[in-house]
Amino acid sequence: MERQNITLSLPKSLLKRVKHLAVEKNSSVSGLLTQYLADLVEREETYQKAKKEHLVLLEEGFELGTNGSINWKRVDLHDR
């Protein structure tokens, strides 16, 4: 996989904490960021796919057994 360097500006206090986290996870800052960004992209793509599928379902509608006509009134369902 081809790679490209980027410049990232972080507050020093955050960078220090991230470096400690990377050591604890036996990784590098670059490795942590790469994994986090890959996970972020994967979650977004999964969400967009699910959203698209559900919008198609909503557009098609659902068969509720009424054959398109409702022959009851609300009051019949909620007898008081």
Side-chain angles (χ1 to χ4, degrees):
M1 176 183 295
E2 186 178 350
R3 297 193 174 259
Q4 180 175 345
N5 289 334
I6 63 168
T7 300
L8 181 65
S9 178
L10 299 173
K12 286 184 180 184
S13 60
L14 177 59
L15 181 57
K16 183 177 180 180
R17 292 168 48 203
V18 169
K19 285 181 179 181
H20 283 262
L21 183 61
V23 168
E24 289 175 7
K25 294 189 175 284
N26 197 27
S27 185
S28 63
V29 172
S30 180
L32 285 178
L33 287 171
T34 299
Q35 185 60 51
Y36 178 78
L37 292 173
D39 291 346
L40 180 65
V41 168
E42 178 66 26
R43 281 194 312 266
E44 181 63 25
E45 288 173 348
T46 301
Y47 170 79
Q48 291 299 329
K49 180 182 176 193
K51 179 181 174 182
K52 182 178 178 182
E53 290 171 357
H54 285 85
L55 287 173
V56 167
L57 283 174
L58 287 173
E59 186 67 32
E60 292 173 354
F62 296 94
E63 176 53 52
L64 302 176
T66 63
N67 295 322
S69 65
I70 298 173
N71 56 5
W72 41 261
K73 294 183 175 78
R74 183 175 187 272
V75 70
D76 297 336
L77 298 176
H78 300 284
D79 191 20
R80 296 182 184 196

